[in-house]
Amino acid sequence: MQKNWIGKSFGCEIDFKIEGDLPVKKIKCFTTRPDTLFGFSFLALSADHEISKFYKDDPKFMKFKEECSKTGTTEEAIAVGEKIGFKTNLFAINPFNPKQKVPVFFANFVLMDYGFGAVFGCPGHDQRDFDFAKKYNLEIKTVVRPLDENDNYEVTDEAYPGEGVLINSEFLNGLKAPDVSVIETIKILEKKNLGLKKINFRLKDWGVSRQRYWGCPIPVAYDENGKIHTIPDSMLPVKLPQGIDLNVKGNPLDHIKEWKEIEIDGKKLKRETDTLDTFVCSSWYFLRFCSPNENNYGFNEDEAKYWMPVDQYIGGVEHAILHLLYSRFFMRAISIDNEKINLKEPFDGLFTQGMVCHETYKDPNNNWVSPDEIEIINGKKYLKNDNSKQVKVGPSESMSKSKKNIIDPEKIISNYGADAARLFILSDSPPEKDVQWSEEGIASSFKFIQKLWTLNSKIIEKIEQNHSEDSDDEMSKYTNKFLKKITDNLENFSYNKLVANLHEIHSFLSNQIKKNYKKDTLLENYHKILITMQPVIPHFSNECLELINVFNVKWPKYDEKMIKDEKINLVIQVNGKKRNLIEIEPDKSEEELFEIIKNDEKINKYIQGTEIKKKIYVKNKLINIIV
């Protein structure tokens, strides 16, 4: 996502000669596929291109420009939106074929911030160009064939943008596209002074200021000639004035003369009234976390060196292209010529969590409606305040205030409790996937916590009975296996598996309390199990721990010896077919195992009198004997 946001494009700048009745001799455009120039059939310009000034008095053009403003500027909006154009009275000349002249259009799918706001159209190998050419009956030439086609291949129903070989391209024919053909074409264009190799980036200069009162002041001032002067150290930090009037037009700081006008070294200056955008602070906050008590500087370099980089960052994917990218920029900037800190990356590990989603609703007037404003009558959704108006149910989307598809956490907590909400969000799907919010899901989580509470009461009764002997050691063995599972699942972000572990332990304990156990055995195991519930259902866990008088809470360790099974089932195959399942002690060597197999009647008949070519042994799982 960051790579796409930066938008690096390798290609070529080409000056197209222009003919027509306007004082325009050439139009510069940037292309990543100059190798398809022989498939050129139109030149498309942004409605904001500099030559649009010649058409500002043309009502048809102005109407077209207004229509362009309704098309979104995202790649998705451009891809799915209708392609519309305005034909000019200009013609562009193909630099590889001066006899070929093609029409120049303004087009709604060309944006001014890409290249020079001009692209050459090759409909055979770009779907947007293909759609445009179909609409305006322009020529569609095939100049790239797939690798598995011959030179008679022709584009018909849709553009072919894939790899292949150049055809119908005179001196470029036979070049592999785009790997070889793009570089070779640029060399030819440069040699003939028709083009220039260029690397473009979508991300341009980066604005860090805004016209707001609230934000970090920028410590510079300006003299009467507009020259910048830095605020001297003795006057730092620059502090925002207090108790100001916010009900003014524009930036409130512009209206506070006594703060704005200052004197430095006898010069009268005016402070910068813009403040830094809040993302500037969020781009280095992690360094401040390393040394929160440092008073002389933003962070202590030795402490930052000790703690950084951050081991694990967890956040929504919406942070990927802004906050996380800017944090990386900042870390590189701080590391430039810095002997004490030289960190290229602020975060070692990244985990992007999914969003919580909910159905969307609209009333008959197409206004967003929140779930609280709806009531269900005979299985259909209507407005609470007007039962005659049925609500339209839209797709499930990530919860947002603008779409009103949010659930009030206070209402959930008052009805079900915070633990039920946590349990549902974790149990519904893996944490990297979106969660589909449902009333049934939260109710189910609530019921499970009630079952755990009922079980807790039974376990406390059992503890109080304090039997003299344990029926067996199954409780301790299972608890140790459970601790390993739940610890591993926490480490691996397998939170939905974590919840499955809680269901397993509920079933296990429900059966085990029918047996007799000593008080110490039950307490020792149960308190460990309760502690592992803390990340998921902390309120329930704390309440239960208090009832058994456990207050010193530390994450429990498991005993490796108790995790190992005394016996395991091992599959025996001959030539890949399962021939038996035997019960053995774990971790047997291949030699020990083969001695056991040779004495097994079921297997013996398959290997006796044969030549054993190979043995494939997967420890503690299977052995495959190839005869």
Side-chain angles (χ1 to χ4, degrees), residues 22 47 49-63 65 86 106:
L22 291 178
H49 193 276
E50 60 179 352
I51 73 165
S52 65
K53 64 189 176 188
F54 296 115
Y55 296 89
K56 66 179 189 293
D57 296 326
D58 184 333
K60 288 182 181 176
F61 173 75
M62 295 312 289
K63 188 179 178 184
K65 192 171 181 178
F86 177 87
F106 290 101

Short mmCIF file of all heavy atoms in Angstrom, two decimals, residues 22 47 49-63 65 86 106:
data_model
loop_
_atom_site.label_atom_id
_atom_site.label_comp_id
_atom_site.label_asym_id
_atom_site.label_seq_id
_atom_site.Cartn_x
_atom_site.Cartn_y
_atom_site.Cartn_z
N LEU A 22 -4.66 26.49 -33.07
CA LEU A 22 -4.33 27.13 -31.80
C LEU A 22 -2.82 27.33 -31.70
O LEU A 22 -2.06 26.57 -32.32
CB LEU A 22 -4.80 26.28 -30.61
CG LEU A 22 -6.32 26.15 -30.39
CD1 LEU A 22 -6.58 25.22 -29.21
CD2 LEU A 22 -6.96 27.50 -30.12
N ALA A 47 -8.92 17.84 -18.02
CA ALA A 47 -9.76 19.03 -18.24
C ALA A 47 -9.10 20.28 -17.66
O ALA A 47 -9.49 21.41 -17.99
CB ALA A 47 -11.13 18.83 -17.60
N HIS A 49 -5.76 20.82 -17.99
CA HIS A 49 -4.50 21.03 -18.72
C HIS A 49 -4.39 22.49 -19.14
O HIS A 49 -5.40 23.16 -19.38
CB HIS A 49 -4.47 20.11 -19.95
CG HIS A 49 -3.11 20.02 -20.59
ND1 HIS A 49 -2.67 20.95 -21.50
CD2 HIS A 49 -2.10 19.11 -20.44
CE1 HIS A 49 -1.46 20.62 -21.90
NE2 HIS A 49 -1.08 19.50 -21.27
N GLU A 50 -3.15 22.96 -19.29
CA GLU A 50 -2.94 24.39 -19.57
C GLU A 50 -3.63 24.85 -20.86
O GLU A 50 -4.04 26.01 -20.97
CB GLU A 50 -1.45 24.73 -19.62
CG GLU A 50 -0.67 23.97 -20.68
CD GLU A 50 0.79 24.36 -20.71
OE1 GLU A 50 1.17 25.32 -20.02
OE2 GLU A 50 1.56 23.72 -21.44
N ILE A 51 -3.81 23.97 -21.84
CA ILE A 51 -4.45 24.44 -23.08
C ILE A 51 -5.97 24.55 -22.94
O ILE A 51 -6.65 25.03 -23.85
CB ILE A 51 -4.08 23.56 -24.30
CG1 ILE A 51 -4.78 22.21 -24.26
CG2 ILE A 51 -2.59 23.40 -24.46
CD1 ILE A 51 -4.72 21.50 -25.60
N SER A 52 -6.51 24.13 -21.76
CA SER A 52 -7.96 24.29 -21.55
C SER A 52 -8.36 25.76 -21.53
O SER A 52 -9.52 26.10 -21.75
CB SER A 52 -8.38 23.61 -20.24
OG SER A 52 -7.79 24.25 -19.13
N LYS A 53 -7.35 26.65 -21.29
CA LYS A 53 -7.66 28.10 -21.26
C LYS A 53 -8.20 28.59 -22.61
O LYS A 53 -8.95 29.56 -22.68
CB LYS A 53 -6.42 28.90 -20.87
CG LYS A 53 -5.26 28.81 -21.86
CD LYS A 53 -3.99 29.43 -21.33
CE LYS A 53 -2.84 29.23 -22.33
NZ LYS A 53 -1.54 29.66 -21.78
N PHE A 54 -7.83 27.89 -23.70
CA PHE A 54 -8.30 28.30 -25.03
C PHE A 54 -9.78 27.95 -25.25
O PHE A 54 -10.38 28.37 -26.23
CB PHE A 54 -7.45 27.65 -26.13
CG PHE A 54 -6.01 28.07 -26.12
CD1 PHE A 54 -4.99 27.16 -25.84
CD2 PHE A 54 -5.66 29.40 -26.37
CE1 PHE A 54 -3.66 27.54 -25.83
CE2 PHE A 54 -4.32 29.79 -26.36
CZ PHE A 54 -3.32 28.87 -26.08
N TYR A 55 -10.33 27.13 -24.32
CA TYR A 55 -11.71 26.67 -24.51
C TYR A 55 -12.64 27.20 -23.41
O TYR A 55 -13.78 26.78 -23.31
CB TYR A 55 -11.74 25.13 -24.52
CG TYR A 55 -11.00 24.53 -25.68
CD1 TYR A 55 -9.64 24.25 -25.57
CD2 TYR A 55 -11.64 24.28 -26.89
CE1 TYR A 55 -8.93 23.71 -26.64
CE2 TYR A 55 -10.95 23.73 -27.96
CZ TYR A 55 -9.59 23.46 -27.84
OH TYR A 55 -8.91 22.93 -28.91
N LYS A 56 -12.13 28.14 -22.61
CA LYS A 56 -12.94 28.60 -21.46
C LYS A 56 -14.21 29.36 -21.88
O LYS A 56 -15.14 29.49 -21.09
CB LYS A 56 -12.10 29.44 -20.50
CG LYS A 56 -11.60 30.76 -21.02
CD LYS A 56 -10.80 31.47 -19.91
CE LYS A 56 -10.46 32.90 -20.27
NZ LYS A 56 -9.52 33.05 -21.38
N ASP A 57 -14.24 29.84 -23.11
CA ASP A 57 -15.44 30.55 -23.59
C ASP A 57 -16.38 29.62 -24.37
O ASP A 57 -17.42 30.07 -24.87
CB ASP A 57 -15.04 31.74 -24.49
CG ASP A 57 -14.25 32.78 -23.71
OD1 ASP A 57 -14.55 32.95 -22.49
OD2 ASP A 57 -13.32 33.37 -24.29
N ASP A 58 -16.01 28.36 -24.45
CA ASP A 58 -16.84 27.39 -25.17
C ASP A 58 -17.80 26.73 -24.17
O ASP A 58 -17.37 25.98 -23.29
CB ASP A 58 -15.93 26.32 -25.81
CG ASP A 58 -16.72 25.33 -26.67
OD1 ASP A 58 -17.91 25.12 -26.40
OD2 ASP A 58 -16.11 24.74 -27.59
N PRO A 59 -19.11 27.02 -24.26
CA PRO A 59 -20.06 26.47 -23.28
C PRO A 59 -20.08 24.94 -23.25
O PRO A 59 -20.27 24.35 -22.19
CB PRO A 59 -21.42 27.04 -23.72
CG PRO A 59 -21.22 27.57 -25.10
CD PRO A 59 -19.77 27.88 -25.24
N LYS A 60 -19.85 24.31 -24.42
CA LYS A 60 -19.85 22.83 -24.44
C LYS A 60 -18.68 22.28 -23.63
O LYS A 60 -18.80 21.29 -22.92
CB LYS A 60 -19.78 22.34 -25.89
CG LYS A 60 -21.07 22.55 -26.67
CD LYS A 60 -20.93 22.00 -28.07
CE LYS A 60 -22.22 22.22 -28.87
NZ LYS A 60 -22.07 21.77 -30.27
N PHE A 61 -17.51 22.95 -23.77
CA PHE A 61 -16.35 22.50 -23.01
C PHE A 61 -16.57 22.72 -21.51
O PHE A 61 -16.24 21.85 -20.70
CB PHE A 61 -15.07 23.23 -23.45
CG PHE A 61 -13.89 22.90 -22.57
CD1 PHE A 61 -13.25 21.67 -22.69
CD2 PHE A 61 -13.43 23.79 -21.61
CE1 PHE A 61 -12.18 21.33 -21.86
CE2 PHE A 61 -12.36 23.47 -20.78
CZ PHE A 61 -11.73 22.24 -20.91
N MET A 62 -17.13 23.87 -21.15
CA MET A 62 -17.34 24.17 -19.73
C MET A 62 -18.33 23.19 -19.10
O MET A 62 -18.19 22.79 -17.95
CB MET A 62 -17.83 25.61 -19.55
CG MET A 62 -16.80 26.67 -19.97
SD MET A 62 -15.12 26.39 -19.32
CE MET A 62 -15.38 26.78 -17.58
N LYS A 63 -19.33 22.78 -19.90
CA LYS A 63 -20.28 21.77 -19.41
C LYS A 63 -19.57 20.43 -19.22
O LYS A 63 -19.79 19.72 -18.23
CB LYS A 63 -21.43 21.63 -20.41
CG LYS A 63 -22.57 20.75 -19.88
CD LYS A 63 -23.70 20.64 -20.87
CE LYS A 63 -24.78 19.71 -20.32
NZ LYS A 63 -25.87 19.49 -21.29
N LYS A 65 -16.38 20.04 -18.59
CA LYS A 65 -15.48 20.18 -17.44
C LYS A 65 -16.24 19.99 -16.12
O LYS A 65 -15.75 19.37 -15.18
CB LYS A 65 -14.81 21.55 -17.47
CG LYS A 65 -13.65 21.68 -16.49
CD LYS A 65 -12.87 22.97 -16.70
CE LYS A 65 -11.72 23.05 -15.72
NZ LYS A 65 -10.89 24.25 -15.91
N PHE A 86 -14.02 15.27 -24.70
CA PHE A 86 -14.37 16.47 -25.48
C PHE A 86 -13.32 16.59 -26.58
O PHE A 86 -12.13 16.78 -26.30
CB PHE A 86 -14.37 17.72 -24.59
CG PHE A 86 -14.64 18.99 -25.32
CD1 PHE A 86 -15.96 19.42 -25.52
CD2 PHE A 86 -13.60 19.76 -25.84
CE1 PHE A 86 -16.21 20.60 -26.22
CE2 PHE A 86 -13.85 20.94 -26.53
CZ PHE A 86 -15.17 21.36 -26.72
N PHE A 106 -9.94 16.10 -24.58
CA PHE A 106 -9.93 16.20 -23.13
C PHE A 106 -10.70 14.98 -22.64
O PHE A 106 -11.73 14.62 -23.23
CB PHE A 106 -10.63 17.48 -22.64
CG PHE A 106 -9.86 18.74 -22.94
CD1 PHE A 106 -10.21 19.55 -24.01
CD2 PHE A 106 -8.77 19.11 -22.16
CE1 PHE A 106 -9.51 20.72 -24.29
CE2 PHE A 106 -8.06 20.28 -22.43
CZ PHE A 106 -8.42 21.08 -23.50
#
